[in-house]
Amino acid sequence: MTKTYTPAEPIWCAGCGDFGVQGAIEGAIAQLAIPKHDIIIMAGIGCSGTLQNNVGTYGYHALHGRVLPTSTGVAYANPELTVIAVGGDGDAFAIGAGHFIHTVKRNPNFVYIVMNNSVYGLTKGQDSPTMDAGAAHGIDATRLALSIPGASFIARGFSRWSRQLQELTVAAMEHVRAGRGFAFLEVLSPCVTYHDTYVTWEGMLENLDDDPTYDPTDLAAAFARGVALEAQGRMPAGVIFRSDGGAGRKIPPAMALQDIDPARHIDRYNDIMSSYAV
Ligand SMILES: Cc1ncc(C[n+]2csc(CCOP(=O)(O)OP(=O)(O)O)c2C)c(N)n1
Ligand code: SF4
């Protein structure tokens, strides 16, 4: 029997930046004509994480800060699925920061969209590690990703710039679907209730996609531009870095398919356990 799931209505405050992110994901899915049953949206915990209820793809709500290891498992286990992980900056860069570093390094084939509002929206507005993005004391997640060996796609969008945001979402999904690895898209997505930064952030952004002299395949130039902009209290937007030559990591089939029947391994297990006997 086929069961049809009806997507939920968003429960965000009017004006929340996350609406723009959902619009871009829906637009990108339509533009790439990917059947929704070939997509899973994996979500962290937070206002942003409720996005997976709204789109009509497969969905999964992970533990807070654990969306990346969970998504890595999904992407390894079913390489045919287009996996899009979403969540907030608290989920990504506070409780989940360790996973972020290792996921960029591992370069698995999935998209990660972080809705950065610099606060914990769901728990009523505490500062996150990206508070004061663009200033020297707020973590710049795109530069953090640039500094990790293995990074293959790093971009920043702004939820109010909907056309570019859809282009960036399409580019991230194409990167993943071509098997090039992890695509990290940070979206500046203001929280109008606890930290309304629409005007400030729009004034700080320099759109690299409009600069014909900018080469997003040049890692050193990407880093230098970010540092130079930060010194002026500004931030880059657009495709910041892209490595087209590499391949994303897949789990070796032998590991995914190995026989874990306990009867086959019981002697070895007993040997190991008896080695601890006192
Ligand atoms: C293990 C654990 N610790 C803490 C929490 C409480 N908690 C729920 S959401 C959240 C932070 C949400 O902020 P963010 O990830 O930036 O998402 P936003 O709500 O801003 O979209 C916290 C700390 C939790 N649910 N689980
Ligand atoms: S509290 Fe902030 S992040 Fe949460 S839905 Fe409202 S505007 Fe969006």
Side-chain angles (χ1 to χ4, degrees):
M1 186 180 73
T2 304
K3 269 183 148 180
T4 305
Y5 168 71
T6 307
E9 290 292 316
I11 54 170
W12 299 310
C13 310
C16 177
D18 298 353
F19 283 101
V21 177
Q22 181 175 325
I25 291 175
E26 287 172 330
I29 292 172
Q31 188 178 329
L32 294 172
I34 308 171
K36 287 194 174 161
H37 59 254
D38 286 340
I39 302 171
I40 184 163
I41 298 183
M42 307 284 297
I45 301 294
C47 297
S48 45
T50 63
L51 191 150
Q52 60 94 18
N53 298 326
N54 309 337
V55 182
T57 61
Y58 286 104
Y60 184 92
H61 223 150
L63 293 175
H64 190 38
R66 306 293 179 249
V67 71
L68 289 178
T70 317
S71 302
T72 302
V74 172
Y76 281 171
N78 189 347
E80 303 304 316
L81 273 180
T82 297
V83 181
I84 305 172
V86 301
D89 44 295
D91 203 82
F93 310 122
I95 192 170
H99 293 302
F100 181 74
I101 290 165
H102 290 285
T103 306
V104 174
K105 182 166 171 281
R106 231 174 253 137
N107 203 31
N109 281 313
F110 68 90
V111 175
Y112 186 32
I113 300 178
V114 176
M115 287 161 258
N116 180 6
N117 52 22
S118 288
V119 290
Y120 295 176
L122 189 70
T123 51
K124 302 201 178 301
Q126 300 86 352
D127 286 6
S128 90
T130 61
M131 177 50 80
D132 289 329
H137 42 282
I139 285 180
D140 182 320
T142 64
R143 276 217 317 285
L144 174 62
L146 281 172
S147 71
I148 301 166
S152 67
F153 181 99
I154 301 166
R156 177 183 278 133
F158 181 41
S159 56
R160 181 181 266 169
W161 294 353
S162 42
R163 184 179 306 177
Q164 183 193 37
L165 187 53
Q166 183 169 320
E167 287 167 6
L168 294 172
T169 308
V170 165
M173 287 169 71
E174 284 180 328
H175 183 86
V176 161
R177 285 166 64 80
R180 296 196 189 111
F182 187 61
F184 169 49
L185 171 56
E186 182 202 333
V187 182
L188 298 175
S189 179
C191 169
V192 287
T193 301
Y194 297 113
H195 189 56
D196 187 349
T197 45
Y198 274 109
V199 175
T200 330
W201 278 350
E202 191 156 26
M204 292 168 77
L205 287 171
E206 177 172 282
N207 192 354
L208 301 178
D209 290 348
D210 288 343
D211 178 354
T213 67
Y214 184 76
D215 174 7
T217 64
D218 183 339
L219 179 68
F223 209 87
R225 180 70 75 98
V227 172
L229 284 170
E230 187 178 90
Q232 302 161 24
R234 304 194 66 206
M235 293 184 275
V239 177
I240 294 171
F241 178 69
R242 201 183 58 220
S243 153
D244 291 340
R249 185 188 286 199
K250 295 183 187 138
I251 197 166
M255 282 177 73
L257 301 175
Q258 72 180 324
D259 180 0
I260 53 169
D261 177 3
R264 286 190 60 229
H265 304 285
I266 197 72
D267 290 343
R268 180 77 189 115
Y269 171 78
N270 284 337
D271 284 350
I272 292 169
M273 292 313 286
S274 56
S275 73
Y276 292 108
V278 284

